[in-house]
Amino acid sequence: MGKIIAITNQKGGVGKTTTSVNLASSLSYLGKRVLLVDVDHQANATTYMGINRANLKYTVADIFHETVNIRDIIQKVESVAVDMIPARYELGNIENSLINHDNKDFILSNALEQVKDDYDYVIIDCPPSLGVVTINALMASDSVIIPVQCEFLALDGLTQLLNTIRMIQTKQKYNKKTLTIEGVLLTMLDTRSNIGYEVINEVKTYFKEKVFKTVIPRNVKVSVAPSFGLPVTEFSPRSKGSQSYQNLAREMVELNERA
Ligand SMILES: Nc1ncnc2c1ncn2[C@@H]1O[C@H](COP(=O)(O)OP(=O)(O)OP(=O)(O)O)[C@@H](O)[C@H]1O
Ligand SMILES: [Mg+2]
């Protein structure tokens, strides 16, 4: 049974897309069947995975318009054994077109139900907002990974996110799910300064055992890999960034297989 995991934090630039792409590739190396879903109109995950947006016949926006079968939207990523539902700019207009939709929060959930059992993990890369698209992603999910950047104001906005998660849990009785926190992931740690370690302590005090043991360091290979359309795990497999995302995948799989 496929587990659906949303990578979410409404704060921008904390490493959601980097985590989605590299967790997806790392899970595939462990032999897991993975579907990566891009629900951000910035379409960064689509670009980071080397998919040319100009040539796309269908995108995730077609799921929200309910015009195309989800299986016709799924693409194969070239560099890794990951399937992908790509996004493009048209998703930016979706909020308006759903205003009069009676069941707008469950559109993605209904679509993913049709394919989730073809996969071990479905990873959803969320946009930096708590709008209707993110609500759809959370409603469809069994758990969330919350990337937190090891910088000043790291915990900013997390109370609002936790309140949203609680609201989702009460509504999920309609699709028989209960959203849990898979884990809080500390990202972009600068090992040369103290502030990062201070943030780690603060986050651990707040989220306790929910914090992944794996911490993602700031690593130049991670930031360069997207311009080659490759996960860092392919671009520079032995780099610290690549190794830490592979450690994260192992940690997560172990937690799930122990449960
Ligand atoms: N571990 C890392 N080391 C170095 N650079 C990183 C690392 N993680 C992410 N970055 C860089 O930081 C920037 C933001 O990362 P990313 O796009 O993953 O964040 P995001 O949360 O998805 O952003 P948005 O909120 O806009 O969707 C990108 O330029 C990315 O390459
Ligand atoms: Mg992003």
Side-chain angles (χ1 to χ4, degrees):
M1 230 183 51
K3 184 167 193 182
I4 306 182
I5 303 174
I7 316 293
T8 196
N9 185 339
Q10 77 275 24
K11 200 165 149 82
V14 297
K16 293 181 287 297
T17 303
T18 303
T19 299
S20 302
V21 163
N22 290 297
L23 180 59
S25 64
S26 299
L27 286 168
S28 81
Y29 304 150
L30 299 175
K32 305 298 171 192
R33 297 165 302 163
V34 186
L35 174 66
L36 174 62
V37 187
D38 189 351
V39 297
D40 184 357
H41 72 269
Q42 301 179 96
N44 291 339
T46 303
T47 309
Y48 284 25
M49 277 302 201
I51 291 178
N52 183 347
R53 288 181 268 165
N55 297 340
L56 295 173
K57 187 167 178 203
Y58 301 122
T59 71
V60 73
D62 296 299
I63 292 184
F64 287 97
H65 289 129
E66 299 173 286
T67 46
V68 178
N69 186 304
I70 182 168
R71 287 182 199 278
D72 294 331
I73 308 174
I74 295 174
Q75 302 235 332
K76 294 222 170 294
V77 172
E78 239 174 63
S79 60
V80 280
V82 169
D83 282 357
M84 173 143 206
I85 295 183
R88 204 166 44 192
Y89 55 86
E90 32 302 50
L91 191 62
N93 297 324
I94 217 70
E95 199 121 354
N96 288 336
S97 60
L98 295 179
I99 276 176
N100 295 319
H101 194 295
D102 289 338
N103 215 7
K104 64 172 183 288
D105 294 345
F106 288 93
I107 301 171
L108 187 63
S109 179
N110 291 338
L112 288 178
E113 275 313 294
Q114 299 170 42
V115 294
K116 75 162 207 252
D117 290 338
D118 298 349
Y119 299 96
D120 297 304
Y121 292 98
V122 177
I123 306 290
I124 310 179
D125 181 31
C126 291
S129 84
L130 289 172
V132 68
V133 171
T134 298
I135 299 295
N136 260 272
L138 296 179
M139 214 60 101
S141 294
D142 300 296
S143 67
V144 292
I145 290 177
I146 307 174
V148 170
Q149 192 180 349
C150 298
E151 292 286 348
F152 183 54
L153 296 179
L155 289 168
D156 226 33
L158 286 183
T159 309
Q160 198 190 355
L161 178 58
L162 296 177
N163 286 339
T164 305
I165 290 173
R166 262 178 238 118
M167 181 275 284
I168 299 283
Q169 287 165 337
T170 62
K171 289 197 178 177
Q172 272 181 327
K173 57 179 180 288
Y174 297 110
N175 64 351
K176 301 191 178 64
K177 285 177 181 274
T178 308
L179 191 62
T180 60
I181 297 180
E182 187 75 35
V184 175
L185 177 66
L186 294 153
T187 64
M188 294 185 242
L189 175 68
D190 180 351
T191 50
R192 294 160 310 179
S193 81
N194 287 335
I195 172 93
Y197 294 99
E198 285 165 22
V199 170
I200 291 180
N201 284 336
E202 205 182 342
V203 171
K204 282 189 173 163
T205 306
Y206 195 74
F207 285 100
K208 303 196 168 64
E209 76 285 355
K210 280 288 169 200
V211 182
F212 284 114
K213 290 191 179 66
T214 307
V215 175
I216 310 297
R218 189 172 275 286
N219 174 245
V220 71
K221 301 284 187 201
V222 176
S223 56
V224 173
S227 61
F228 291 85
L230 291 171
V232 74
T233 56
E234 285 292 307
F235 176 69
S236 180
R238 299 198 164 277
S239 64
K240 284 215 166 85
S242 163
Q243 296 292 326
S244 41
Y245 274 111
Q246 293 181 67
N247 290 341
L248 173 68
R250 277 191 289 270
E251 182 181 351
M252 199 189 87
V253 167
E254 232 167 70
L255 282 172
N256 277 280
E257 293 183 357
R258 206 187 317 140

